[in-house]
């Protein structure tokens, strides 16, 4: 009976915090709505939040809904609808970057095919900064999770080099140096590869 009451008490004290942000100025062709449900149990955040991204086309009824469960999120993540960035329209493009965090949601052309893609934070990360899910737009206008960028590059690129079709991440390696990794997309193979990795002293 005591065990049952303890479980019931935990369930009753569970609190769900939700954020809903509509973004109509991050893309020329698309509108986005990001919904986040964060659960607290006994005033402690559970390591997983439910994140939903709804993508709507401005000139058609076409839409796509993407759901995923995040890793650990700090309490200040997904609390400010203005914590977004667009390399397409320029919204927030020059906002200050602290601790390698580029925002909760970013619109850019990551694979240099002229189509708008987006990245959404999936974990607050550690000293290197947060981790992101990367969704690239295919030829039919459908957003597909890019496993290489999501699971291998992980961090948001400090440099998006359209000329050389490369993404460059700069991540703390230790107290006195950073790790620079360069990734390149090859249209012939349709695949990414890491072409350079080096340690730079501060």
């Amino acid at each position: 009976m005591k065990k049952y009451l303890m479980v019931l008490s935990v369930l009753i004290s569970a609190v769900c915090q939700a954020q809903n942000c509509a973004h109509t100025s991050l893309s020329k062709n698309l509108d986005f709505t990001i919904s986040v449900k964060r659960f607290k149990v006994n005033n402690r955040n559970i390591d997983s939040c439910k994140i939903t991204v709804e993508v709507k086309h401005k000139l058609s009824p076409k839409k796509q809904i993407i759901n995923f469960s995040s890793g650990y999120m700090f309490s200040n993540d997904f609390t400010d609808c203005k914590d977004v960035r667009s390399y397409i329209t320029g919204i927030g493009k020059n906002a200050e970057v602290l601790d390698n965090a580029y925002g909760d949601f970013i619109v850019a052309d990551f694979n240099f095919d002229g189509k708008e893609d987006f990245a959404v934070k999936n974990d607050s990360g550690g000293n290197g900064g947060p981790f992101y899910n990367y969704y690239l737009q295919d030829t039919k206008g459908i957003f597909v999770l890019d496993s290489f960028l999501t699971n291998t590059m992980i961090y948001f690129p400090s440099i998006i080099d359209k000329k050389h079709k490369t993404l460059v991440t700069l991540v703390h390696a230790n107290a006195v140096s950073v790790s620079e990794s360069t990734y390149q997309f090859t249209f012939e193979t349709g695949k990414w590869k890491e072409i350079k990795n080096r340690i730079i002293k501060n």
Side-chain angles (χ1 to χ4, degrees), residues 104-139:
D104 296 329
F105 186 83
I106 308 105
V107 178
D109 179 7
F110 293 111
N111 61 342
F112 313 102
D113 63 353
K115 297 181 178 63
E116 299 168 325
D117 310 310
F118 67 84
V120 56
K121 190 181 293 180
N122 69 35
D123 192 294
S124 295
N127 291 335
F131 308 149
Y132 289 88
N133 276 8
Y134 289 85
Y135 294 89
L136 305 187
Q137 190 175 176
D138 66 14
T139 56

Side-chain angles (χ1 to χ4, degrees), residues 82-85 90-98 101-102:
K82 294 181 180 179
D83 191 17
V84 295
R85 190 179 298 256
I91 298 294
K93 179 180 178 180
N94 298 316
E96 184 180 11
V97 177
L98 298 174
Y102 283 78

Side-chain angles (χ1 to χ4, degrees), residues 44-96:
R44 296 183 65 185
N45 288 338
I46 293 179
D47 284 353
S48 184
C49 303
K50 181 182 177 183
I51 298 176
T52 300
V53 178
E54 182 179 89
V55 185
K56 290 184 178 179
H57 288 252
K58 292 181 184 291
L59 300 178
S60 78
K62 185 177 180 182
K63 70 178 181 178
Q64 179 181 357
I65 296 177
I66 295 169
N67 293 293
F68 68 92
S69 293
S70 74
Y72 181 74
M73 286 291 179
F74 295 150
S75 59
N76 61 338
D77 287 321
F78 289 104
T79 58
D80 183 358
C81 290
K82 294 181 180 179
D83 191 17
V84 295
R85 190 179 298 256
S86 174
Y87 292 90
I88 304 298
T89 64
I91 298 294
K93 179 180 178 180
N94 298 316
E96 184 180 11

